[in-house]
Amino acid sequence: MAEINSRILPRIESLEPALRDAILARDVDIRNLHDLIAIMSDIIREEEKRQD
């Protein structure tokens, strides 16, 4: 199971449910805001590829 820093968790919980679920489904450690942004960027890139 992934570890999520307690300071970052409120930011994840405030996201739209679909995005929050996509982030948590990655099952990766999120230690800081940089980690969260990197995961969100990956999700966006993947979605853009699907739409092309």
Side-chain angles (χ1 to χ4, degrees):
M1 179 168 203
E3 286 189 37
I4 300 174
N5 185 313
S6 61
R7 291 183 296 182
I8 300 299
L9 192 56
R11 294 179 186 261
I12 295 171
E13 290 174 343
S14 71
L15 298 171
E16 180 179 317
L19 180 55
R20 181 183 64 232
D21 293 346
I23 291 168
L24 296 176
R26 300 280 171 144
D27 197 33
V28 296
D29 291 344
I30 303 174
R31 297 175 304 271
N32 53 48
L33 191 55
H34 183 268
D35 291 343
L36 177 58
I37 292 169
I39 293 166
M40 292 173 68
S41 294
D42 289 345
I43 291 169
I44 290 168
R45 271 193 300 278
E46 290 170 8
E47 187 61 30
E48 287 174 342
K49 284 182 182 179
R50 281 186 217 150
Q51 291 179 0
D52 288 339

